[in-house]
Amino acid sequence: MAPTPERFAKILRVLQKRQPTLTVLMDEVNKPHNLSAIVRTCDAVGVLEAHAVPPSGGKLAEFEGHTYDATSGSAHKWVKVNKQTDALAAVRELQGRGFQVLATHLSQRSVDYREIDYTRPTCVLLGAEKWGVGDGAAQAADHNIIIPMFGMVQSLNVSVAAATILFEAQRQRLAAGMYAAPQLAPADLAALAFEWAYP
Ligand code: SAM
């Protein structure tokens, strides 16, 4: 069915603000409500595509829309999640495409997440709820970043950490005018508009 003119205008407005140079890599994030919440935040800040290494032993179907829960809203329809088999390989592949990879990981070289320039092509690497980001991927990352914590508990929920960092990226990109003009190439924007309008 053809979309209404209002619906099509909204699709165009959203695509005109999509940020193909901002992404996340979820390394074995295994709770569907966390995955859903992260994808919803991705949609809100304009992430075009996200990446995820499924949890060990997890079913591939978990990343094909079956286990997104109500926490996602309908965000999983608008943010493609690419399956990756290995976090370290995905980090290297993204770096090869010019992305800086920021591992959310406490280490000797960790910096406050606000010290980073998010106007550069950026991937935020998020870790599993139980054991965090793997050491290999954290070492290969361009930076290790942390959200400073002053409480009794050592870490935030992964979706809260993702939102905190992605909205800092949004703040910097807004200031740099990166939402004022389309970041997608015209042909890609047109192809996606067609895909979204006629799912
Ligand atoms: N025990 C795990 C560890 O040692 O890393 C805790 C993992 S934490 C519950 C899950 C994920 O949330 C982390 O891998 C990271 O991606 C993110 N996270 C939580 N707190 C954070 C913080 N203060 N700064 C940056 N990322 C954080």
Side-chain angles (χ1 to χ4, degrees):
M1 196 173 67
T4 62
E6 294 75 21
R7 175 79 171 167
F8 195 66
K10 179 169 184 183
I11 287 173
L12 287 181
R13 270 200 314 276
V14 168
L15 285 171
Q16 281 162 358
K17 296 201 185 303
R18 278 297 196 246
Q19 305 284 304
T21 57
L22 181 62
T23 190
V24 299
L25 169 59
M26 296 172 268
D27 183 10
E28 302 202 28
V29 170
N30 65 3
K31 296 186 179 155
H33 63 270
N34 285 336
L35 183 78
S36 296
I38 293 168
V39 170
R40 188 167 179 160
T41 298
C42 284
D43 176 60
V45 302
V47 167
L48 179 70
E49 288 188 0
H51 303 271
V53 178
S56 326
K59 297 188 197 92
L60 295 185
E62 285 174 2
F63 289 85
E64 284 158 2
H66 297 275
T67 64
Y68 292 103
D69 61 17
T71 320
S72 143
S74 62
H76 59 275
K77 295 185 196 160
W78 316 114
V79 179
K80 185 172 172 224
V81 179
N82 296 315
K83 239 174 301 166
Q84 302 286 348
T85 47
D86 175 75
L88 180 55
V91 167
R92 297 225 162 101
E93 200 265 324
L94 284 157
Q95 287 172 326
R97 286 167 45 201
F99 282 77
Q100 62 173 346
V101 176
L102 311 173
T104 51
H105 183 72
L106 184 61
S107 71
Q108 298 278 11
R109 68 182 178 111
S110 299
V111 296
D112 185 312
Y113 75 104
R114 289 162 290 206
E115 288 178 28
I116 301 292
D117 175 3
Y118 294 91
T119 63
R120 292 182 51 196
T122 297
C123 171
V124 179
L125 169 58
L126 300 157
E129 290 87 341
K130 275 201 180 141
W131 51 81
V133 172
D135 285 339
Q139 278 162 21
D142 298 86
H143 298 281
N144 287 184
I145 57 171
I146 49 155
I147 302 161
M149 311 260 305
F150 303 112
M152 295 288 285
V153 180
Q154 275 185 344
S155 64
L156 295 166
N157 171 279
V158 63
S159 66
V160 173
T164 304
I165 295 162
L166 286 173
F167 276 96
E168 170 63 10
Q170 187 212 55
R171 188 190 67 78
Q172 290 189 15
R173 284 172 174 243
L174 267 172
M178 293 174 77
Y179 291 94
Q183 303 290 303
L184 280 165
D188 293 339
L189 197 154
L192 278 167
F194 187 79
E195 217 177 275
W196 287 17
Y198 299 94

